[in-house]
Amino acid sequence: MKTNLLLTLIAAIGIGCSAQDNTAPGATPSAGGQAAGGQTLFGAQPGLGGQLGSGPAGGGQVGPGGQIGAGGQTAAGGQAAFSGQTASGGARITSGGAAGSSTGGSSQGGATGGGGALASGGFPGASGSNSAGGDPSNDAGSGGNPGSYHPCPTNGDPCKILPLGDSITYGVGDEGNAGYRGPLFADAVGAQQKVTFTGSLSNGPDTVLGQPFRKNNEGHSGWGISTVTQYSGGVAGIATVIPNPALALTSGGLPHVILLHIGTNDATSSTAAQMTDHLAGLIDKIVGAAPDALLVVAMIRPLAWATSVINSYNAAIPGLVQMRAANGKHVMIVDMNTGFTSTMIGSDGIHPNSAGYNFMASRWYSVIGPLLPN
């Protein structure tokens, strides 16, 4: 993807502001861990979700369906790796005000090298300063309409966050730390902010930084956006969980923030244009089901053998978000692609390792951190 596309500034916040893992019988896991018959896909590339990783799970962390995380990583004492992660690189870029405006958000250092997430829209009450060097402090653009939209409670209750996606959302490869959810929770706890997770699935540590960790998520291994993939076991994507069970009371109820990272499983069987169309429909379905929630849509992390498709798909996402933000929808964007390196990929060649999940957590936090309640 070209640099200028990665640095696109999007206005949002209403102009104001994968878990069963049915590894394929036959010993060769498919991408997604759900293809039947043990077929070998793409030169026996391991699947996105539920594959056996290299090495036993330290501390015996085993995911649903009996899968073992890649490398068997578990939380060292539960939290050792969680403190103070920041995005590799430097400044985050934000924009406040109308779509395409750069007011309050010029880049400073490391913007093309993976410096923080692309935020958009001017956070409520923010001062409009830019942080450099990955500092997760106040990093919001000025402009917009500060104070007009608060997705999280202001009465002292925790902000409910729904992690939504495939096995990367579930945390395959680092289940003991719940993938990005553990370090994201740690970032919030470290800032004395109150958050909790929702969703119909569950995995992760019991505590993070000494605080009870709610394990809920909606990360379905092998699933795509809204069509059956070769790895989804016949399920037509995560669009099928909206509104139920993802938003059901039994899953935690309507969330305040939704973190969407989806498309990796589609990238080997769909064109970028098809994926973009499916994502547009999914975004509209989510916004319709949870109109008061903030939806943060990720430009997804790289996949070595689908680079062209993913680059084209990612390039289209800012336009989808901008269009809906311009119509008053609470939608933002975060860049999980720029700065995500090969050293952040686990032994299966697909899922992030702990460094990759920490990177993702930092990107998420750079966008939602200023919105979380104390």
Side-chain angles (χ1 to χ4, degrees):
M1 180 189 306
K2 296 183 179 178
T3 300
N4 62 334
L5 288 174
L6 291 175
L7 296 181
T8 301
L9 305 179
I10 309 299
I13 312 184
I15 311 300
C17 151
S18 280
Q20 27 221 113
D21 202 28
N22 306 321
T23 305
T28 304
S30 65
Q34 293 177 314
Q39 60 214 44
T40 301
L41 302 173
F42 307 107
Q45 297 292 349
L48 199 75
Q51 307 82 340
L52 293 179
S54 59
Q61 295 289 346
V62 181
Q67 81 274 18
I68 302 174
Q73 300 95 333
T74 60
Q79 296 83 28
F82 288 159
S83 178
Q85 299 88 352
T86 59
S88 63
R92 290 180 290 278
I93 304 172
T94 60
S95 69
S101 170
S102 59
T103 304
S106 60
S107 62
Q108 296 184 27
T112 59
L118 295 179
S120 53
F123 298 116
S127 65
S129 61
N130 271 10
S131 301
D135 180 2
S137 62
N138 183 18
D139 186 32
S142 61
N145 188 12
S148 65
Y149 172 64
H150 296 275
C152 297
T154 57
N155 62 356
D157 290 341
C159 191
K160 297 194 293 186
I161 301 173
L162 172 65
L164 180 63
D166 51 35
S167 60
I168 292 176
T169 295
Y170 189 75
V172 168
D174 198 14
E175 290 94 336
N177 293 332
Y180 72 70
R181 290 176 284 118
L184 175 58
F185 184 82
D187 283 340
V189 169
Q192 299 183 336
Q193 294 168 318
K194 298 178 181 179
V195 300
T196 188
F197 294 115
T198 66
S200 66
L201 308 181
S202 176
N203 76 307
D206 293 326
T207 62
V208 170
L209 295 184
Q211 298 297 313
F213 177 77
R214 191 170 184 181
K215 304 177 183 183
N216 297 56
N217 69 94
E218 204 69 47
H220 293 267
S221 293
W223 289 19
I225 302 168
S226 60
T227 59
V228 174
T229 72
Q230 200 164 5
Y231 332 115
S232 66
V235 178
I238 63 166
T240 63
V241 304
I242 305 296
N244 294 311
L247 309 180
L249 287 175
T250 54
S251 301
L254 286 173
H256 303 112
V257 176
I258 301 171
L259 307 180
L260 176 64
H261 185 285
I262 193 67
T264 308
N265 288 300
D266 303 85
T268 53
S269 57
S270 298
T271 66
Q274 290 170 330
M275 291 171 61
T276 301
D277 183 62
H278 297 159
L279 180 63
L282 175 61
I283 291 174
D284 291 340
K285 187 173 186 180
I286 294 170
V287 170
D292 295 327
L294 170 64
L295 174 60
V296 186
V297 182
M299 298 163 66
I300 66 175
R301 42 134 300 188
L303 186 64
W305 55 89
T307 299
S308 178
V309 172
I310 286 180
N311 283 353
S312 296
Y313 172 64
N314 281 340
I317 294 176
L320 297 181
V321 171
Q322 178 178 338
M323 180 185 302
R324 286 150 182 82
N327 287 324
K329 308 303 182 184
H330 306 311
V331 186
M332 296 177 68
I333 192 168
V334 64
D335 182 6
M336 292 294 177
N337 192 283
T338 304
F340 192 100
T341 69
S342 59
T343 63
M344 299 176 183
I345 300 174
S347 59
D348 65 5
I350 297 177
H351 297 93
N353 54 26
S354 59
Y357 282 122
N358 285 344
F359 172 92
M360 293 183 70
S362 183
R363 289 294 174 93
W364 289 125
Y365 187 76
S366 70
V367 172
I368 69 172
L371 303 173
L372 301 177
N374 293 106

